[in-house]
Amino acid sequence: MSSLTEKDRPIVQLLLNSGTCPRCILRFCCVGSQALYRHPYKDLMKDLKEFLKNNQEKEDTVCSDVVDPPCKRIRLEPTEEGPDDLNHNGALQQIPSVNDENTATENSAVKVCNVCLGILQEFCEVDFVKKVCQKVNSSDYQFTSFVFSVSLPPQLSVRERAAWLLVKQEMGNLGLSLAKDDIVQLKEAYKWIIHPQLSEELGVPADGKSLFEVSVVFAHPETDEECHFLATACPDCFKPAKNKQSVFTRMAVIKALEKIKEEDFLKHFPCPPSSPQNLCVALEIQCNNGAVFVAGRYNKYSRNLPQTPWIIDGERKLESSVEELISEHLMAEFKADSFNFSSSGREDVDVRTLGNGRPFAIELVNPRRIHFTAEEMKGLQQTINNSSDKIQVRDLQLVTREAIGRMKEGEEEKTKTYSALIWTDKAIQKEDIAFLDDIKELKLDQKTPLRVLHRRPLAVRCRIIHTMKSEYIDEHHFRLHLKTQAGTYIKEFVHGDFGRTKPNIGSLLNRTTDILELDVESVDIDWPPTLDN
């Protein structure tokens, strides 16, 4: 085993006899060769024993030429008790020395590793790899690469600390040192072993930036309580959280291990850690695809359709919504778990959206299907349009998460045009409203409307009416075309909202006015890109 040197021999001997698996031994010997970890488990065990045997023979040759020489072997029996040798019983547990090949073979017949609890043993074998891949394939995802993530039991960090303290002391006896950061991390070693196997079985490469994640959650019920002493030693590290079932999270345990003194740790936890009876269990094998984003523009032709589901006190007021009419088809085609709908502003339930429509985007969460051609997106758009006469969509396309930001950025600086049908209590003539056409850049002070006060904070917002054009209908009705700053409350500008919007059409005409119909004629945002529909 060329990656190991003479200085590693006492560490190999020590860990092998304490019940540590070959791959964890390589980690504590700071071996960085990924290929070595992938060797079959039995071969690694055989190589370690051969490594110890060869070094034993060399030593015996040297010793035979010297009368009563000082033994080069690391003496594991403590000569005297001191602070550095303490564990929960007041002394480091005695580890038998490997005196000959037979002893090494006998003592190293480990069933479950006392450090990784079997992660680098059974869970690196082909049977487990196939089990993971069966889960992936049965989940019916589209993917061209994958990223593999692992959730380990928090007590592994405690056991790793105990093993490190053991090795650190022996290195000190040699006049050497071993920093925690020099040890190859368990997750890293596991991925070195598992990535090539998964990649070969799934037929796609492992990629840290992939949006398709395969995750495994491990647990080890037998040793679950091994972290509990840390809560007494470092109570500040373990705070209850609403979304956590246990305070003993991996991060909380690591934080506590960083705070606790070595002598306090050794008083509460055996060093080396004891050998468990059972392997870890794989609680969950999960797949998850990164979100896909679809954007477009929608027209709303109904005056009885909300943009999003209208539910008050748990009771649904209307049977559908713009959001649902669009998303139900996207959800079915992308085979997503859920969705999030957003748009450039919103219209009231009784307001139509005409012209080129309102920009919208839908985040499809954990989609099984992610690849669509332009023609397929065009067909999906047609399916949506054929399903209802209340809405139509255009420019339906796949976009990136970053691109959606363009829909929101500078939203209030954008302009929107409206058409409002207005009623007046007093009779009007065409010349009575003509002056409205000459008003430019009219500044409004709009206090939060009464109708939205339950969901918007009370504030006075300054908004601008850029232009107006009146269209006389009869003595009590006229249509007003407005170009306004986005975010302007048009209904309140017409009727005044009991004086909460100033000025308003009523105050400008010196009569009572109300709005009968309102249409959004354009939302002036150049996004998403126009397609050849």
Side-chain angles (χ1 to χ4, degrees):
M1 189 168 284
S2 59
S3 294
L4 297 177
T5 62
E6 172 63 21
K7 70 178 179 60
D8 296 315
R9 188 181 71 82
I11 307 306
V12 174
Q13 174 180 286
L14 175 66
L15 291 176
L16 201 57
N17 280 282
S18 68
T20 305
C21 74
R23 293 184 177 115
C24 279
I25 291 174
L26 293 180
R27 294 196 301 115
F28 279 88
C29 290
C30 309
V31 175
S33 169
Q34 297 185 24
L36 192 56
Y37 288 85
R38 295 169 189 150
H39 287 188
Y41 184 85
K42 289 182 179 178
D43 290 353
L44 286 173
M45 183 66 82
K46 180 181 177 182
D47 290 344
L48 284 179
K49 292 173 185 175
E50 192 69 28
F51 170 73
L52 291 177
K53 177 184 175 183
N54 291 340
N55 279 276
Q56 180 74 48
E57 289 174 352
K58 288 179 184 178
E59 183 177 300
D60 289 344
T61 301
V62 173
C63 290
S64 65
D65 297 331
V66 181
V67 178
D68 296 324
C71 186
K72 289 184 179 179
R73 249 180 266 143
I74 296 296
R75 187 178 296 278
L76 300 180
E77 304 84 32
T79 55
E80 59 180 279
E81 220 172 85
D84 293 337
D85 301 322
L86 293 176
N87 71 353
H88 66 305
N89 292 320
L92 269 169
Q93 291 183 3
Q94 184 171 319
I95 310 298
S97 297
V98 179
N99 294 318
D100 55 48
E101 182 184 353
N102 293 333
T103 307
T105 303
E106 180 182 345
N107 290 342
S108 60
V110 190
K111 287 187 178 180
V112 181
C113 176
N114 67 337
V115 179
C116 72
L117 301 176
I119 299 293
L120 297 184
Q121 295 172 297
E122 290 294 319
F123 296 101
C124 295
E125 299 300 321
V126 65
D127 286 348
F128 182 69
V129 172
K130 286 186 175 181
K131 182 179 178 181
V132 173
C133 292
Q134 285 170 2
K135 172 69 174 180
V136 173
N137 292 329
S138 66
S139 298
D140 196 29
Y141 282 91
Q142 278 186 340
F143 57 94
T144 54
S145 62
F146 71 93
V147 60
F148 182 66
S149 66
V150 187
S151 175
L152 300 176
Q155 60 266 35
L156 282 182
S157 298
V158 179
R159 286 177 165 265
E160 185 120 336
R161 171 61 60 91
W164 171 66
L165 290 176
L166 180 73
V167 172
K168 187 176 115 170
Q169 184 187 13
E170 296 309 313
M171 294 286 279
N173 292 342
L174 290 170
L176 301 172
S177 62
L178 177 66
K180 291 195 298 289
D181 294 341
D182 292 336
I183 302 168
V184 175
Q185 294 299 304
L186 175 55
K187 277 189 179 182
E188 189 174 15
Y190 186 55
K191 290 179 181 181
W192 287 348
I193 302 163
I194 211 81
H195 272 172
Q197 298 183 70
L198 287 174
S199 184
E200 182 177 359
E201 192 76 20
L202 294 173
V204 296
D207 181 356
K209 295 181 179 179
S210 175
L211 294 178
F212 180 63
E213 179 185 36
V214 180
S215 62
V216 180
V217 178
F218 289 108
H220 194 258
E222 180 187 338
T223 58
D224 270 348
E225 296 184 359
E226 290 185 347
C227 301
H228 290 192
F229 76 93
L230 291 170
T232 303
C234 306
D236 291 346
C237 297
F238 300 94
K239 304 288 186 183
K242 292 180 180 178
N243 59 339
K244 300 290 184 182
Q245 292 182 344
S246 170
V247 296
F248 296 101
T249 63
R250 180 173 168 271
M251 292 310 297
V253 168
I254 289 173
K255 188 177 178 181
L257 289 172
E258 289 172 352
K259 291 184 68 174
I260 192 171
K261 294 179 180 178
E262 288 184 11
E263 55 265 32
D264 292 335
F265 179 90
L266 290 169
K267 287 176 184 177
H268 294 91
F269 198 82
C271 184
S274 59
S275 295
Q277 296 297 314
N278 303 299
L279 287 163
C280 275
V281 292
L283 281 186
E284 296 176 358
I285 301 172
Q286 296 180 329
C287 303
N288 188 80
N289 237 340
V292 169
F293 298 86
V294 176
R297 286 176 173 261
Y298 73 79
N299 292 110
K300 176 167 100 69
Y301 302 121
S302 170
R303 295 197 187 277
N304 195 36
L305 183 70
Q307 187 193 62
T308 55
W310 192 6
I311 300 171
I312 300 176
D313 296 330
E315 182 181 345
R316 189 173 189 121
K317 296 300 181 182
L318 292 171
E319 64 178 19
S320 191
S321 64
V322 173
E323 172 187 293
E324 292 165 298
L325 290 174
I326 297 173
S327 64
E328 64 177 329
H329 300 283
L330 296 179
M331 286 282 290
E333 289 298 320
F334 283 81
K335 300 179 181 177
D337 284 352
S338 59
F339 70 92
N340 295 305
F341 180 92
S342 60
S343 64
S344 179
R346 59 187 298 142
E347 66 285 313
D348 290 339
V349 62
D350 58 350
V351 175
R352 298 187 302 176
T353 298
L354 309 176
N356 287 331
R358 185 186 297 277
F360 72 91
I362 294 182
E363 176 187 13
L364 294 155
V365 179
N366 193 22
R368 271 64 175 174
R369 186 181 177 192
I370 57 174
H371 301 301
F372 286 80
T373 65
E375 281 302 310
E376 286 174 326
M377 290 302 292
K378 197 172 181 179
L380 183 50
Q381 174 176 295
Q382 194 60 49
T383 299
I384 295 171
N385 292 341
N386 291 342
S387 68
S388 174
D389 59 0
K390 295 180 178 181
I391 66 157
Q392 293 277 285
V393 298
R394 67 180 71 204
D395 301 328
L396 196 69
Q397 57 196 279
L398 293 167
V399 297
T400 63
R401 182 189 294 272
E402 293 72 28
I404 291 178
R406 294 183 57 190
M407 181 176 71
K408 293 294 185 181
E409 67 186 23
E411 196 173 64
E412 292 197 354
E413 282 65 50
K414 302 297 182 183
T415 59
K416 297 182 180 180
T417 58
Y418 298 89
S419 172
L421 178 60
I422 299 172
W423 167 87
T424 64
D425 65 334
K426 297 178 183 177
I428 55 169
Q429 299 301 317
K430 188 174 183 179
E431 52 270 22
D432 293 330
I433 60 173
F435 76 98
L436 295 174
D437 297 9
D438 299 325
I439 297 176
K440 310 295 182 188
E441 306 303 316
L442 178 64
K443 292 183 178 179
L444 310 180
D445 287 328
Q446 291 200 301
K447 191 177 287 187
T448 305
L450 292 171
R451 64 187 173 90
V452 299
L453 199 53
H454 65 285
R455 56 184 171 87
R456 293 280 174 86
L458 179 61
V460 176
R461 299 170 178 84
C462 181
R463 294 291 184 263
I464 298 174
I465 306 294
H466 296 295
T467 61
M468 291 183 282
K469 184 173 178 57
S470 59
E471 182 183 325
Y472 183 79
I473 298 176
D474 59 35
E475 289 183 339
H476 290 281
H477 300 88
F478 70 98
R479 189 171 292 280
L480 188 63
H481 301 275
L482 311 94
K483 185 173 185 179
T484 76
Q485 178 185 354
T488 304
Y489 291 109
I490 304 302
K491 291 178 178 179
E492 283 67 25
F493 173 58
V494 172
H495 58 61
D497 198 25
F498 301 100
R500 297 169 71 86
T501 290
K502 298 177 181 179
N504 54 70
I505 293 296
S507 65
L508 292 172
L509 295 178
N510 195 26
R511 46 181 43 87
T512 299
T513 57
D514 204 353
I515 187 164
L516 303 181
E517 291 179 355
L518 180 63
D519 293 328
V520 179
E521 293 190 333
S522 73
V523 179
D524 302 326
I525 296 177
D526 187 21
W527 189 90
T530 302
L531 301 179
D532 181 15
N533 291 315

PDB file of all heavy atoms in Angstrom, residues 395-407:
ATOM      1  N   ASP A 395     -46.423  33.973 -25.974  1.00  0.00           N
ATOM      2  CA  ASP A 395     -44.983  34.023 -25.702  1.00  0.00           C
ATOM      3  C   ASP A 395     -44.564  33.060 -24.589  1.00  0.00           C
ATOM      4  O   ASP A 395     -43.672  33.359 -23.787  1.00  0.00           O
ATOM      5  CB  ASP A 395     -44.541  35.451 -25.341  1.00  0.00           C
ATOM      6  CG  ASP A 395     -44.847  36.454 -26.438  1.00  0.00           C
ATOM      7  OD1 ASP A 395     -44.808  36.054 -27.613  1.00  0.00           O
ATOM      8  OD2 ASP A 395     -45.140  37.623 -26.115  1.00  0.00           O
ATOM      9  N   LEU A 396     -45.197  31.888 -24.507  1.00  0.00           N
ATOM     10  CA  LEU A 396     -44.875  30.917 -23.462  1.00  0.00           C
ATOM     11  C   LEU A 396     -43.497  30.323 -23.743  1.00  0.00           C
ATOM     12  O   LEU A 396     -43.252  29.806 -24.842  1.00  0.00           O
ATOM     13  CB  LEU A 396     -45.930  29.813 -23.422  1.00  0.00           C
ATOM     14  CG  LEU A 396     -45.948  28.940 -22.167  1.00  0.00           C
ATOM     15  CD1 LEU A 396     -46.416  29.757 -20.966  1.00  0.00           C
ATOM     16  CD2 LEU A 396     -46.855  27.731 -22.362  1.00  0.00           C
ATOM     17  N   GLN A 397     -42.610  30.383 -22.754  1.00  0.00           N
ATOM     18  CA  GLN A 397     -41.220  29.958 -22.977  1.00  0.00           C
ATOM     19  C   GLN A 397     -40.540  29.589 -21.657  1.00  0.00           C
ATOM     20  O   GLN A 397     -40.947  30.017 -20.576  1.00  0.00           O
ATOM     21  CB  GLN A 397     -40.432  31.085 -23.649  1.00  0.00           C
ATOM     22  CG  GLN A 397     -40.440  32.386 -22.865  1.00  0.00           C
ATOM     23  CD  GLN A 397     -40.011  33.566 -23.710  1.00  0.00           C
ATOM     24  OE1 GLN A 397     -38.815  33.782 -23.895  1.00  0.00           O
ATOM     25  NE2 GLN A 397     -40.984  34.330 -24.223  1.00  0.00           N
ATOM     26  N   LEU A 398     -39.497  28.788 -21.770  1.00  0.00           N
ATOM     27  CA  LEU A 398     -38.652  28.460 -20.626  1.00  0.00           C
ATOM     28  C   LEU A 398     -37.674  29.602 -20.387  1.00  0.00           C
ATOM     29  O   LEU A 398     -37.089  30.123 -21.336  1.00  0.00           O
ATOM     30  CB  LEU A 398     -37.883  27.160 -20.874  1.00  0.00           C
ATOM     31  CG  LEU A 398     -38.715  25.875 -20.944  1.00  0.00           C
ATOM     32  CD1 LEU A 398     -37.883  24.729 -21.507  1.00  0.00           C
ATOM     33  CD2 LEU A 398     -39.244  25.506 -19.567  1.00  0.00           C
ATOM     34  N   VAL A 399     -37.509  29.988 -19.128  1.00  0.00           N
ATOM     35  CA  VAL A 399     -36.575  31.065 -18.780  1.00  0.00           C
ATOM     36  C   VAL A 399     -35.749  30.632 -17.568  1.00  0.00           C
ATOM     37  O   VAL A 399     -36.031  29.616 -16.937  1.00  0.00           O
ATOM     38  CB  VAL A 399     -37.323  32.380 -18.453  1.00  0.00           C
ATOM     39  CG1 VAL A 399     -38.078  32.889 -19.670  1.00  0.00           C
ATOM     40  CG2 VAL A 399     -38.272  32.201 -17.275  1.00  0.00           C
ATOM     41  N   THR A 400     -34.741  31.424 -17.239  1.00  0.00           N
ATOM     42  CA  THR A 400     -33.923  31.132 -16.069  1.00  0.00           C
ATOM     43  C   THR A 400     -34.472  31.867 -14.850  1.00  0.00           C
ATOM     44  O   THR A 400     -35.253  32.812 -14.976  1.00  0.00           O
ATOM     45  CB  THR A 400     -32.474  31.590 -16.293  1.00  0.00           C
ATOM     46  OG1 THR A 400     -32.441  33.010 -16.454  1.00  0.00           O
ATOM     47  CG2 THR A 400     -31.881  30.923 -17.526  1.00  0.00           C
ATOM     48  N   ARG A 401     -34.040  31.434 -13.684  1.00  0.00           N
ATOM     49  CA  ARG A 401     -34.441  32.110 -12.443  1.00  0.00           C
ATOM     50  C   ARG A 401     -33.992  33.570 -12.470  1.00  0.00           C
ATOM     51  O   ARG A 401     -34.717  34.472 -12.044  1.00  0.00           O
ATOM     52  CB  ARG A 401     -33.811  31.407 -11.241  1.00  0.00           C
ATOM     53  CG  ARG A 401     -34.213  32.014  -9.903  1.00  0.00           C
ATOM     54  CD  ARG A 401     -33.391  31.425  -8.761  1.00  0.00           C
ATOM     55  NE  ARG A 401     -33.650  30.012  -8.556  1.00  0.00           N
ATOM     56  CZ  ARG A 401     -34.617  29.539  -7.778  1.00  0.00           C
ATOM     57  NH1 ARG A 401     -35.420  30.385  -7.129  1.00  0.00           N
ATOM     58  NH2 ARG A 401     -34.784  28.243  -7.635  1.00  0.00           N
ATOM     59  N   GLU A 402     -32.787  33.815 -12.988  1.00  0.00           N
ATOM     60  CA  GLU A 402     -32.260  35.172 -13.031  1.00  0.00           C
ATOM     61  C   GLU A 402     -33.097  36.072 -13.926  1.00  0.00           C
ATOM     62  O   GLU A 402     -33.304  37.253 -13.624  1.00  0.00           O
ATOM     63  CB  GLU A 402     -30.806  35.161 -13.515  1.00  0.00           C
ATOM     64  CG  GLU A 402     -29.811  34.514 -12.563  1.00  0.00           C
ATOM     65  CD  GLU A 402     -29.943  32.990 -12.492  1.00  0.00           C
ATOM     66  OE1 GLU A 402     -30.390  32.385 -13.502  1.00  0.00           O
ATOM     67  OE2 GLU A 402     -29.622  32.420 -11.438  1.00  0.00           O
ATOM     68  N   ALA A 403     -33.606  35.518 -15.022  1.00  0.00           N
ATOM     69  CA  ALA A 403     -34.379  36.323 -15.970  1.00  0.00           C
ATOM     70  C   ALA A 403     -35.675  36.839 -15.359  1.00  0.00           C
ATOM     71  O   ALA A 403     -36.162  37.914 -15.722  1.00  0.00           O
ATOM     72  CB  ALA A 403     -34.678  35.504 -17.224  1.00  0.00           C
ATOM     73  N   ILE A 404     -36.239  36.092 -14.407  1.00  0.00           N
ATOM     74  CA  ILE A 404     -37.497  36.512 -13.788  1.00  0.00           C
ATOM     75  C   ILE A 404     -37.322  37.831 -13.046  1.00  0.00           C
ATOM     76  O   ILE A 404     -38.252  38.626 -12.931  1.00  0.00           O
ATOM     77  CB  ILE A 404     -38.015  35.409 -12.833  1.00  0.00           C
ATOM     78  CG1 ILE A 404     -38.457  34.210 -13.662  1.00  0.00           C
ATOM     79  CG2 ILE A 404     -39.181  35.907 -11.988  1.00  0.00           C
ATOM     80  CD1 ILE A 404     -38.930  33.049 -12.849  1.00  0.00           C
ATOM     81  N   GLY A 405     -36.104  38.079 -12.568  1.00  0.00           N
ATOM     82  CA  GLY A 405     -35.842  39.332 -11.875  1.00  0.00           C
ATOM     83  C   GLY A 405     -36.126  40.546 -12.736  1.00  0.00           C
ATOM     84  O   GLY A 405     -36.478  41.613 -12.227  1.00  0.00           O
ATOM     85  N   ARG A 406     -36.008  40.386 -14.041  1.00  0.00           N
ATOM     86  CA  ARG A 406     -36.268  41.514 -14.952  1.00  0.00           C
ATOM     87  C   ARG A 406     -37.731  41.922 -14.930  1.00  0.00           C
ATOM     88  O   ARG A 406     -38.074  43.062 -15.222  1.00  0.00           O
ATOM     89  CB  ARG A 406     -35.851  41.137 -16.377  1.00  0.00           C
ATOM     90  CG  ARG A 406     -34.349  40.933 -16.537  1.00  0.00           C
ATOM     91  CD  ARG A 406     -33.988  40.635 -17.964  1.00  0.00           C
ATOM     92  NE  ARG A 406     -34.447  41.699 -18.858  1.00  0.00           N
ATOM     93  CZ  ARG A 406     -34.421  41.592 -20.186  1.00  0.00           C
ATOM     94  NH1 ARG A 406     -34.005  40.469 -20.754  1.00  0.00           N
ATOM     95  NH2 ARG A 406     -34.849  42.578 -20.944  1.00  0.00           N
ATOM     96  N   MET A 407     -38.605  40.976 -14.597  1.00  0.00           N
ATOM     97  CA  MET A 407     -40.038  41.285 -14.535  1.00  0.00           C
ATOM     98  C   MET A 407     -40.343  42.192 -13.347  1.00  0.00           C
ATOM     99  O   MET A 407     -41.251  43.020 -13.394  1.00  0.00           O
ATOM    100  CB  MET A 407     -40.836  39.979 -14.417  1.00  0.00           C
ATOM    101  CG  MET A 407     -42.348  40.166 -14.366  1.00  0.00           C
ATOM    102  SD  MET A 407     -43.209  38.583 -14.358  1.00  0.00           S
ATOM    103  CE  MET A 407     -42.829  37.970 -12.716  1.00  0.00           C
TER     104      MET A 407
END
